[in-house]
Amino acid sequence: MADLRSEFVGIKSPNPFWLASAPPTDKEYNVRRAFEAGWGGVVWKTLGFDPHVVNVNGPRYGAIFGADRRLLGLNNIELITDRPLETNLQEIKSVKRDYPDRAVVVSLMVPCEEEPWKKILPMVEETGADGVELNFGCPHGMSERGMGAAVGQVPEYIEMVTRWCKQYTRMPVIVKLTPNITDVRYPARAAHAGGADAVSLINTISSITSVNLDNFSPEPSIDGKGSHGGFCGPAVKPIALNMVAEIARDAELAGLPISGIGGVTTWRDAAEFMALGAGNVQVCTAAMTYGFKIVQEMISGLSEYLDEKDIALPDLVGRATPNITDWQYLNLNYVAKAKIDQDACISCGRCFAACEDTSHQAISMSEDRVFEVIDGECVACNLCVNVCPVEDCITMVEMQPGQVDPRTGKVVQGEYANWTTHPNNPSAQAAE
């Protein structure tokens, strides 16, 4: 089995799978069960000084389901911990004492003033915790009080608070970023400028998942009223991957460690985050859906993958980052065509309907329902691949240099290198 031991900003854990700051990490009982199941670390649910944190006693979650009722996303309206600060600190100390090899990071959220941060950091440090995560991402409840995303959306505040924390603690400081912003690089740069040891992302996305069409209240409904909440789960993974990649490939943030969060459900999800630059991953919704033992599949799956590829865990981190580029630098000489495996085809006609109605009319259907790609019309959009219910029935096949593209009648390769020289580019037209 591959060695999954992880070190993130000096914090060691037996594997790179941590539980994110959320309901699963709200108390000692849960965290002990998580560690017994195999999790490498936890970020303790956000602590603060506010004595008026009172969670609703009605539903706290809204959900988005797939066709098979598989949970795709959760919207939550839960606040930070409503348990006494002293109780949490005692439990953190107890857990860290009994599990010294596991990572215990504490999420914090206090008002955007120097004194509260100066006061709470030594209290956390006394527990023996390995680090702190500054919650600048919560989009609901606390942001209305001037905390959470209200701080994370203002780079100047991020830098200011991060500097305070680096001044008042020796623990590593991880800044948790909100996705509810236009360009995630700016808050990441602010955290970096403030001395952050790392960033973690993404926090939840501000959202309303559904509306009850009988009482016209957003879900979850509390006495006929609803509110925006934070969306997480498999559905947010593409957004999270993109934001992680944007930070990983930003020249101004070179070398800034990243903890990846957002829809991690399987070992493959984790490997994708790490390949794009995350040093470890944090999980919430998957654990809430399937229980803590899901980490065992993540551990075995990632180990087998690394063994198969003959890659060490540290070498996986950032492996895909150099292959991310801006659209203008894509190779426009690359040409592919869709191919249908007739032996695998079940003649459902989904590819034909999609291409005929919404794409390029590049698939023909015979009277006996045999579907074939019309190469001269195929633009390689791969819509047919994505709507086909049979895996690998339709694949994209690259055309080799020297072949004639039946759609354009031109020889593949050699016309233009990228968008900067493409004839459709206004700048290129002006240059001519």
Side-chain angles (χ1 to χ4, degrees):
M1 297 288 284
D3 185 357
L4 294 187
R5 286 178 296 180
S6 170
E7 183 168 343
F8 185 77
V9 295
I11 303 172
K12 295 181 179 180
S13 56
N15 61 63
F17 303 111
W18 293 5
L19 284 172
S21 169
T25 63
D26 190 29
K27 59 176 69 74
E28 181 176 1
Y29 175 82
N30 302 72
V31 173
R32 287 182 178 272
R33 286 180 58 84
F35 284 161
E36 290 302 315
W39 290 91
V42 301
V43 181
W44 204 277
K45 185 173 169 67
T46 307
L47 312 184
F49 283 130
D50 192 341
H52 304 296
V53 173
V54 180
N55 277 295
V56 296
N57 290 313
R60 299 182 185 182
Y61 303 106
I64 296 292
F65 299 101
D68 58 356
R69 199 170 165 77
R70 180 170 297 182
L71 186 68
L72 299 182
L74 279 179
N75 166 294
N76 86 88
I77 58 171
E78 185 165 304
L79 304 181
I80 67 174
T81 184
D82 52 11
R83 303 168 69 238
L85 175 61
E86 295 74 17
T87 300
N88 275 295
L89 293 173
Q90 290 170 6
E91 292 183 1
I92 292 167
K93 187 172 186 177
S94 174
V95 168
K96 186 59 189 177
R97 181 194 62 223
D98 293 346
Y99 296 89
D101 65 323
R102 308 302 173 96
V104 178
V105 173
V106 179
S107 177
L108 297 176
M109 182 193 295
V110 296
C112 196
E113 301 165 2
E114 186 171 0
E115 281 305 310
W117 289 102
K118 183 178 180 180
K119 180 179 179 181
I120 200 169
L121 286 165
M123 300 171 71
V124 174
E125 196 165 307
E126 196 274 332
T127 67
D130 297 296
V132 292
E133 182 180 78
L134 313 186
N135 185 344
F136 294 157
C138 186
H140 58 276
M142 306 309 294
S143 59
E144 286 90 328
R145 310 177 192 205
M147 295 179 279
V151 177
Q153 291 168 337
V154 184
E156 293 80 6
Y157 291 171
I158 295 174
E159 180 177 352
M160 177 177 66
V161 177
T162 303
R163 286 189 187 279
W164 292 338
C165 292
K166 288 299 297 179
Q167 179 181 352
Y168 295 121
T169 184
R170 295 168 295 175
M171 296 180 291
V173 174
I174 303 169
V175 173
K176 191 172 188 180
L177 302 177
T178 176
N180 302 297
I181 195 164
T182 306
D183 191 334
V184 75
R185 293 174 299 177
Y186 293 109
R189 290 171 184 169
H192 188 45
D197 296 282
V199 293
S200 59
L201 68 153
I202 60 175
N203 208 309
T204 53
I205 300 172
S206 188
S207 61
I208 293 176
T209 51
S210 60
V211 175
N212 185 312
L213 292 179
D214 291 321
N215 66 8
F216 302 102
S217 169
E219 300 285 3
S221 179
I222 306 296
D223 194 25
K225 299 290 184 180
S227 178
H228 65 96
F231 191 56
C232 58
V236 311
K237 176 188 163 188
I239 298 169
L241 285 175
N242 177 64
M243 290 189 168
V244 166
E246 286 298 285
I247 291 174
R249 71 189 187 103
D250 184 34
E252 295 186 31
L253 298 171
L256 180 66
I258 302 168
S259 184
I261 314 169
V264 177
T265 306
T266 67
W267 71 265
R268 185 177 293 274
D269 297 328
E272 291 176 14
F273 271 94
M274 297 184 76
L276 285 175
N280 68 6
V281 294
Q282 297 183 33
V283 180
C284 173
T285 307
M288 294 177 72
T289 306
Y290 303 108
F292 285 150
K293 289 185 178 180
I294 192 174
V295 74
Q296 295 168 10
E297 181 275 337
M298 295 180 182
I299 291 170
S300 61
L302 183 60
S303 294
E304 291 174 11
Y305 168 76
L306 294 175
D307 282 341
E308 179 185 328
K309 292 291 186 181
D310 194 23
I311 301 174
L313 183 65
D315 295 332
L316 173 63
V317 177
R319 190 108 175 192
T321 307
N323 293 325
I324 307 165
T325 188
D326 294 330
W327 194 98
Q328 61 182 340
Y329 301 119
L330 296 176
N331 180 11
L332 298 183
N333 293 311
Y334 178 88
V335 178
K337 298 294 178 184
K339 298 295 179 184
I340 300 174
D341 182 345
Q342 297 300 336
D343 293 332
C345 180
I346 60 175
S347 300
C348 68
R350 194 178 294 178
C351 62
F352 174 78
C355 189
E356 191 73 12
D357 289 351
T358 69
S359 197
H360 295 275
Q361 298 76 53
I363 296 179
S364 65
M365 179 178 69
S366 67
E367 292 184 359
D368 55 349
R369 294 186 68 81
V370 173
F371 300 93
E372 295 182 330
V373 176
I374 306 170
D375 285 346
E377 300 297 332
C378 179
V379 301
C381 71
N382 89 323
L383 175 62
C384 57
V385 175
N386 291 317
V387 301
C388 179
V390 180
E391 189 174 3
D392 294 330
C393 176
I394 306 178
T395 55
M396 302 305 298
V397 179
E398 179 185 359
M399 295 185 67
Q400 299 304 310
Q403 288 183 271
V404 175
D405 183 344
R407 189 173 71 89
T408 64
K410 296 181 179 180
V411 175
V412 175
Q413 308 285 336
E415 287 184 68
Y416 28 76
N418 52 49
W419 178 244
T420 58
T421 56
H422 194 287
N424 291 342
N425 184 347
S427 299
Q429 294 174 2
E432 292 178 358

